[in-house]
Amino acid sequence: MLDQLLEETRCSKKQTDKLAQIDKAAIEIFSEKGFANTSTKEIAIKAKVAEGTIFKHYGTKENLLLNILLKFIKVLIPAIKKDLISKLDQQNFITVESFLSYFFKDRVRFIQENQDIFTVFIKEIVYNEPLRKNLVNLHFDEVKYKFFAYFDLFKKNGELANIDNGIILKHMFKIFLTDAIWVFALSDEHKTVDVDKWTAELVGEFLNGMGKK
Amino acid sequence: MLDQLLEETRCSKKQTDKLAQIDKAAIEIFSEKGFANTSTKEIAIKAKVAEGTIFKHYGTKENLLLNILLKFIKVLIPAIKKDLISKLDQQNFITVESFLSYFFKDRVRFIQENQDIFTVFIKEIVYNEPLRKNLVNLHFDEVKYKFFAYFDLFKKNGELANIDNGIILKHMFKIFLTDAIWVFALSDEHKTVDVDKWTAELVGEFLNGMGKK
Amino acid sequence: MLDQLLEETRCSKKQTDKLAQIDKAAIEIFSEKGFANTSTKEIAIKAKVAEGTIFKHYGTKENLLLNILLKFIKVLIPAIKKDLISKLDQQNFITVESFLSYFFKDRVRFIQENQDIFTVFIKEIVYNEPLRKNLVNLHFDEVKYKFFAYFDLFKKNGELANIDNGIILKHMFKIFLTDAIWVFALSDEHKTVDVDKWTAELVGEFLNGMGKK
Amino acid sequence: MLDQLLEETRCSKKQTDKLAQIDKAAIEIFSEKGFANTSTKEIAIKAKVAEGTIFKHYGTKENLLLNILLKFIKVLIPAIKKDLISKLDQQNFITVESFLSYFFKDRVRFIQENQDIFTVFIKEIVYNEPLRKNLVNLHFDEVKYKFFAYFDLFKKNGELANIDNGIILKHMFKIFLTDAIWVFALSDEHKTVDVDKWTAELVGEFLNGMGKK
DNA sequence: TATGAATGAGGATTCATTCAT
DNA sequence: CATGAATGAATCCTCATTCAT
């Protein structure tokens, strides 16, 4: 399904050098100034490519953005899925802490490696309603149930309270994504982040909240 | 300080009908399509005003946005401050629950009443780095210490764990603002919100997290 | 005839303070930036007057310019005429040198006293063809014949060659006005001008040219 | 130096048809109505070109003017220089009359061939101070000393009086340029000009002035 | 008479997109 | 495939002018 969308948003098939240059340049400028404030000329110059080349490949500026974000999602989602499944099968995560630590560190690494595109993703998802509806609502359901399986496991083990899985997942995202967005997309704190310490704090927040036991 | 900024962003003194019409129209369109995708002509038509009138009053489109957001902050921040101070003096909040319930419901009401402008605020703060630096970082410090006083009180009462006040505040914002942003600025759920139930959930999340006691 | 034009270009009769302020401000800004690059708002601000006041009095911006230039001409031309007549009657000028010296110094003084308006006059006459046709061609003929009378006198006295009076007048203007325009309207040399020395040079140029006698 | 300036004022490299059309249209309209009273849309229509094309090539309207004037100067100055040098070497000008006649007729021909651009040049140089400072003061020095060499020659031959070369040059320009400006840029007399008669008059004026020998 | 808020046509400039080479 | 000149609609903004107070 995602592949299909990806193909539709591209007009040519080959992933040439030029395409990669365009993507790279677009991501960098979009992340810095936002899609709406970036001209295709700017992208063409930074990509060392003629303006026409961008349109040969993507047809419209909008499509270039969509394609970039789809590529991101197309990598992100399967990666999460694969992780969850393989680890689940190996029964590697028997405590919430081991699960969250692994998952969180892994995602942070992923975001760090794709920081610019992550920034573009966040900013445009917030800014652009059609994008929000088409991308997020559409594609994240697939992963949801992998998480739910873990939550059920942790409930059985007595680590998680008997709360609706949807709420738990949402809470997990609040705790984690809010920070990640702030650190990697909105502030400059990403330069001075101690992932281990951060992870420990988040696990505590997630499990115990702010109240005194 | 805010008053001064507000005056600088406006060119004319009088708060006429036209000004109100422009503000209203701009907020509605900005919240729907974003600042960058809105033309001043559109605003003028919706406000039933000549395009020139917008520029007579605000000088630039950017300034119109700034003025709208400043007005929002100028109402929001003092309202929070006043609330916190008066209630604190009267020792009305002796439990975290009463504090959070009141504060949360009150803010939700405020956001509901200013939903469009709240949406503009969120979207543009995320999209526009200079705005983020100038508005948020600049003006939210004033309120911070009012919260800290409460947190200290609740720690003394044995309700809050001995955690750094900054982290507690951040957690509180994560738990609350994330939801509020989603509900009021990004999704359509605001139409079917049960504030009481929601509040109760958030207080639970805040105090206990997801772990089993 | 000039009076009539002047009245037509003004809508109100009284020469109030406001009118004088507007004229003064307009002349100053026009001379600096040119008519086309000056906004009525600028003039209003410098004149400490509402923008509407300008239009109450002059109707259009064009009319303001015309009125200013007409006032200038209305003073300039009769002054020249009067001078020429009175001196001629008294037979005060019996040599070309005395004639030119007096006339030249007198005009320089006049231009110095009205430097800004002179600058406006020159720049707009060059820039604006209708103005050129209406103002200059129309109003300078009156003075011409006064000069011719002098030239005839000097020819009789054996000082001037037997050249067509029109050419002599044109030559006189070339020699004198070119310098005056350069010095007072286009360069900054007006600050360091030695009128006596200058006059002597010009008289020499006028009478003898550059050739060796 | 001029080449460099010329390149800076143009954005594209190729001298295409479109560029020539734009230049031609701009010169015609500028000369008629002045730079400030001409809209880029007008130019585009007359040049049968899209408005955007003008900005693709020149970036700003100001730059279009500058480029036109620079091209003019770039042709004018070297042409004068070359003439003066080659004729000087051949010792062709042994009398002031032959020198002035040749030079004057030659320049008149040049101005006649470039009458519109000459008009633009004169009008904008008078109207626009920055232009005056950057263009004229900058580029005419180069030619000055070629003239001085001739003046020295004519002094030795006993034709010119022992007057400062700067004054002689200024006088020459007064006598000639004033007329040329009037005839070709400001009036309609250029249609009925007898160059030979005119030249003879000017040589006489230059050498002898108006006085009786 | 004087004001200044309001107007809206017009201006320079930008930009996504097309297309001939 | 790649180019970049050309396009022209759309944009933000300016400004002379009007008019109710």
Side-chain angles (χ1 to χ4, degrees):
Chain A
M1 188 171 65
L2 275 165
D3 287 305
Q4 190 189 335
L5 257 168
L6 255 176
E7 259 179 63
E8 280 168 21
T9 61
R10 229 185 304 134
C11 298
S12 62
K13 307 296 166 199
K14 265 189 241 159
Q15 176 71 19
T16 63
D17 274 1
K18 306 264 172 191
L19 263 193
Q21 288 164 34
I22 293 170
D23 283 12
K24 189 165 176 292
I27 290 168
E28 278 175 32
I29 313 186
F30 285 166
S31 83
E32 196 192 322
K33 320 186 359 181
F35 173 79
N37 304 310
T38 301
S39 74
T40 49
K41 191 182 186 182
E42 251 178 306
I43 299 172
I45 289 171
K46 184 154 204 170
K48 284 172 188 167
V49 144
E51 239 183 310
T53 308
I54 296 175
F55 289 91
K56 256 280 177 313
H57 284 293
Y58 292 109
T60 66
K61 189 187 164 199
E62 191 84 30
N63 243 351
L64 167 60
L65 172 65
L66 208 58
N67 191 270
I68 286 173
L69 295 184
L70 279 173
K71 253 180 249 168
F72 179 68
I73 292 184
K74 199 173 135 60
V75 174
L76 174 65
I77 308 242
I80 297 177
K81 227 193 296 189
K82 215 185 94 201
D83 261 23
L84 292 174
I85 292 171
S86 67
K87 299 291 173 178
L88 187 65
D89 291 347
Q90 300 158 31
Q91 294 284 335
N92 274 338
F93 302 132
I94 36 175
T95 63
V96 171
E97 195 190 328
S98 65
F99 172 74
L100 276 185
S101 288
Y102 174 80
F103 182 74
F104 180 45
K105 283 182 193 164
D106 201 55
R107 283 317 94 191
V108 165
R109 194 159 28 79
F110 177 79
I111 293 174
Q112 276 177 323
E113 283 165 4
N114 301 274
Q115 194 180 324
D116 280 343
I117 201 169
F118 176 71
T119 304
V120 177
F121 183 81
I122 293 301
K123 287 188 176 176
E124 298 306 329
I125 280 296
V126 167
Y127 207 69
N128 187 321
E129 190 183 327
L131 218 60
R132 201 159 54 239
K133 292 215 161 132
N134 291 329
L135 285 189
V136 184
N137 299 0
L138 205 64
H139 302 299
F140 278 111
D141 270 8
E142 311 184 33
V143 177
K144 209 162 73 177
Y145 296 101
K146 310 290 172 189
F147 282 101
F148 285 7
Y150 272 103
F151 297 159
D152 288 337
L153 175 69
F154 297 136
K155 281 177 188 169
K156 213 164 56 190
N157 291 354
E159 273 202 288
L160 286 186
N162 192 26
I163 297 174
D164 175 73
N165 276 337
I167 292 181
I168 297 180
L169 188 61
K170 211 167 75 178
H171 191 69
M172 188 178 144
F173 269 83
K174 275 193 212 175
I175 293 287
F176 165 54
L177 252 194
T178 318
D179 266 27
I181 289 172
W182 179 255
V183 169
F184 293 110
L186 303 182
S187 80
D188 286 329
E189 293 175 19
H190 58 88
K191 291 166 187 158
T192 59
V193 139
D194 176 344
V195 178
D196 285 327
K197 192 174 156 236
W198 188 14
T199 306
E201 272 174 29
L202 288 181
V203 173
E205 279 185 41
F206 178 77
L207 282 177
N208 307 317
M210 299 287 114
K212 195 162 193 170
K213 284 230 165 170
Chain B
M1 186 173 68
L2 276 165
D3 287 302
Q4 190 189 335
L5 257 167
L6 256 176
E7 258 179 63
E8 279 169 20
T9 61
R10 230 185 301 135
C11 299
S12 63
K13 308 296 165 203
K14 271 190 226 151
Q15 177 70 23
T16 64
D17 277 0
K18 305 269 172 189
L19 260 194
Q21 289 165 35
I22 292 170
D23 283 11
K24 190 164 174 290
I27 290 168
E28 278 174 33
I29 314 186
F30 286 166
S31 84
E32 195 193 323
K33 318 184 4 178
F35 173 79
N37 306 309
T38 302
S39 74
T40 50
K41 194 177 190 180
E42 248 179 308
I43 299 172
I45 290 172
K46 182 153 204 168
K48 283 173 189 165
V49 145
E51 226 181 323
T53 308
I54 297 174
F55 291 92
K56 253 266 156 16
H57 285 294
Y58 292 110
T60 65
K61 190 188 162 197
E62 190 86 29
N63 240 353
L64 167 60
L65 172 65
L66 206 58
N67 191 271
I68 286 174
L69 296 184
L70 279 172
K71 254 181 246 165
F72 178 69
I73 293 184
K74 198 173 135 61
V75 174
L76 174 64
I77 306 241
I80 297 177
K81 230 193 292 190
K82 217 185 93 200
D83 263 22
L84 293 174
I85 293 171
S86 67
K87 300 291 174 179
L88 186 65
D89 290 347
Q90 299 158 32
Q91 294 286 334
N92 275 337
F93 300 136
I94 35 176
T95 64
V96 171
E97 194 189 329
S98 64
F99 172 74
L100 276 186
S101 287
Y102 174 81
F103 182 75
F104 180 44
K105 282 182 193 165
D106 204 53
R107 282 320 93 192
V108 164
R109 191 156 32 76
F110 178 81
I111 292 174
Q112 275 177 324
E113 282 164 7
N114 301 275
Q115 194 182 323
D116 280 344
I117 200 170
F118 176 71
T119 303
V120 178
F121 183 81
I122 293 301
K123 286 188 176 176
E124 297 306 328
I125 281 295
V126 168
Y127 208 68
N128 186 325
E129 189 183 328
L131 219 58
R132 200 158 56 240
K133 293 217 159 130
N134 290 329
L135 284 190
V136 184
N137 299 1
L138 204 64
H139 300 299
F140 276 111
D141 268 10
E142 310 182 32
V143 177
K144 208 161 75 177
Y145 296 98
K146 311 290 172 190
F147 282 102
F148 285 7
Y150 273 103
F151 297 158
D152 289 336
L153 176 69
F154 297 137
K155 281 176 187 169
K156 212 163 56 186
N157 291 353
E159 273 202 289
L160 287 186
N162 192 27
I163 297 174
D164 175 73
N165 278 336
I167 292 181
I168 298 180
L169 187 62
K170 213 167 72 177
H171 192 69
M172 187 179 145
F173 269 83
K174 274 193 214 175
I175 294 288
F176 165 55
L177 252 193
T178 317
D179 266 27
I181 289 172
W182 179 255
V183 168
F184 292 111
L186 302 182
S187 81
D188 286 329
E189 292 175 20
H190 59 90
K191 290 165 186 160
T192 59
V193 140
D194 176 344
V195 178
D196 285 327
K197 191 173 156 238
W198 188 13
T199 306
E201 272 173 29
L202 288 182
V203 173
E205 279 184 40
F206 176 78
L207 281 177
N208 307 316
M210 298 288 113
K212 194 161 195 171
K213 285 227 166 174
Chain C
M1 189 173 65
L2 276 165
D3 288 304
Q4 189 188 334
L5 256 166
L6 256 176
E7 259 180 62
E8 279 169 20
T9 60
R10 228 184 305 135
C11 299
S12 62
K13 307 296 166 199
K14 265 189 247 162
Q15 177 70 20
T16 63
D17 275 0
K18 305 265 173 192
L19 263 193
Q21 288 164 34
I22 292 171
D23 283 11
K24 189 165 176 291
I27 291 168
E28 279 175 31
I29 313 187
F30 286 165
S31 83
E32 196 192 322
K33 321 187 356 181
F35 174 78
N37 305 309
T38 301
S39 73
T40 49
K41 191 181 186 182
E42 250 178 307
I43 299 171
I45 289 172
K46 184 153 202 169
K48 283 172 190 168
V49 144
E51 237 182 312
T53 309
I54 296 174
F55 290 89
K56 257 279 178 312
H57 285 292
Y58 292 108
T60 65
K61 189 189 164 197
E62 191 84 29
N63 244 350
L64 168 60
L65 173 66
L66 208 57
N67 191 270
I68 286 174
L69 295 183
L70 280 172
K71 252 180 249 168
F72 178 69
I73 293 183
K74 199 172 133 59
V75 174
L76 174 64
I77 308 244
I80 297 177
K81 229 192 294 188
K82 218 185 91 201
D83 261 23
L84 293 174
I85 293 170
S86 67
K87 301 289 174 179
L88 186 65
D89 292 347
Q90 299 157 34
Q91 293 285 334
N92 273 339
F93 301 134
I94 38 174
T95 64
V96 171
E97 194 188 329
S98 64
F99 171 74
L100 276 186
S101 286
Y102 174 81
F103 181 74
F104 180 45
K105 282 183 194 164
D106 204 53
R107 284 318 94 192
V108 164
R109 193 158 29 78
F110 178 80
I111 292 174
Q112 275 178 323
E113 281 165 7
N114 300 275
Q115 195 181 322
D116 281 343
I117 201 170
F118 175 71
T119 303
V120 178
F121 183 81
I122 293 303
K123 287 188 176 174
E124 297 307 327
I125 281 295
V126 168
Y127 207 70
N128 186 323
E129 189 182 329
L131 217 58
R132 202 158 54 239
K133 294 214 159 132
N134 291 329
L135 285 190
V136 185
N137 300 0
L138 204 63
H139 302 298
F140 276 110
D141 268 9
E142 311 183 32
V143 178
K144 208 162 74 178
Y145 298 100
K146 310 290 172 191
F147 282 101
F148 285 7
Y150 273 103
F151 297 158
D152 289 336
L153 175 67
F154 297 136
K155 281 176 188 168
K156 213 165 54 189
N157 291 354
E159 273 202 291
L160 286 186
N162 192 28
I163 297 173
D164 175 73
N165 277 337
I167 292 181
I168 298 181
L169 187 61
K170 212 167 74 178
H171 191 69
M172 186 179 145
F173 269 83
K174 274 192 214 174
I175 293 288
F176 165 53
L177 252 192
T178 317
D179 266 27
I181 290 172
W182 179 255
V183 169
F184 293 111
L186 302 183
S187 80
D188 286 329
E189 294 175 18
H190 58 88
K191 290 165 187 160
T192 58
V193 140
D194 176 344
V195 177
D196 285 327
K197 194 176 154 231
W198 188 13
T199 306
E201 273 173 29
L202 288 182
V203 172
E205 279 184 41
F206 176 79
L207 282 177
N208 307 317
M210 299 289 112
K212 196 161 194 172
K213 284 232 165 169
Chain D
M1 186 172 66
L2 275 165
D3 287 302
Q4 190 188 335
L5 258 167
L6 255 176
E7 258 179 65
E8 279 169 21
T9 60
R10 229 185 304 134
C11 298
S12 63
K13 308 296 166 206
K14 273 190 224 152
Q15 177 69 21
T16 64
D17 276 359
K18 305 268 171 189
L19 260 194
Q21 290 166 35
I22 292 170
D23 282 11
K24 190 165 175 291
I27 290 168
E28 279 174 33
I29 315 186
F30 285 166
S31 83
E32 194 191 325
K33 319 185 0 180
F35 173 79
N37 305 309
T38 301
S39 74
T40 50
K41 194 177 190 179
E42 249 178 308
I43 299 171
I45 290 172
K46 183 154 204 169
K48 284 173 189 167
V49 144
E51 230 181 319
T53 307
I54 297 175
F55 290 91
K56 254 267 155 19
H57 285 295
Y58 292 110
T60 65
K61 190 188 163 196
E62 191 85 31
N63 240 352
L64 168 60
L65 172 65
L66 207 58
N67 191 269
I68 286 173
L69 296 183
L70 279 173
K71 254 180 245 165
F72 179 69
I73 293 185
K74 196 172 137 60
V75 174
L76 175 62
I77 306 241
I80 297 177
K81 231 193 295 190
K82 216 184 93 200
D83 263 22
L84 293 174
I85 292 170
S86 68
K87 301 288 173 179
L88 186 65
D89 292 347
Q90 300 158 33
Q91 294 285 334
N92 275 338
F93 302 135
I94 36 176
T95 65
V96 171
E97 196 189 327
S98 63
F99 172 74
L100 275 185
S101 287
Y102 173 81
F103 182 75
F104 180 44
K105 283 182 193 163
D106 203 56
R107 282 318 94 191
V108 165
R109 191 158 30 77
F110 177 80
I111 293 175
Q112 275 177 322
E113 282 164 7
N114 300 275
Q115 195 182 325
D116 280 342
I117 201 170
F118 177 70
T119 304
V120 177
F121 182 80
I122 294 302
K123 286 188 176 176
E124 298 306 328
I125 280 296
V126 169
Y127 207 69
N128 185 325
E129 189 183 328
L131 218 58
R132 201 160 54 241
K133 294 216 159 133
N134 291 329
L135 285 190
V136 184
N137 300 1
L138 204 63
H139 302 298
F140 278 110
D141 268 9
E142 312 183 32
V143 178
K144 209 162 72 178
Y145 296 100
K146 311 290 174 191
F147 283 100
F148 285 7
Y150 274 103
F151 297 158
D152 288 337
L153 176 68
F154 298 136
K155 281 177 188 169
K156 213 163 55 187
N157 293 352
E159 274 202 289
L160 287 187
N162 193 27
I163 297 174
D164 176 72
N165 278 336
I167 292 181
I168 298 180
L169 188 62
K170 211 167 75 177
H171 191 68
M172 186 179 147
F173 269 85
K174 274 193 213 174
I175 294 287
F176 164 54
L177 251 194
T178 317
D179 265 28
I181 290 172
W182 178 255
V183 168
F184 293 110
L186 302 182
S187 81
D188 285 328
E189 293 175 20
H190 59 91
K191 291 164 187 160
T192 60
V193 139
D194 175 344
V195 177
D196 285 328
K197 192 174 155 237
W198 188 14
T199 306
E201 273 174 29
L202 287 183
V203 172
E205 278 184 42
F206 177 78
L207 281 177
N208 307 315
M210 300 287 112
K212 194 162 194 171
K213 284 227 165 170

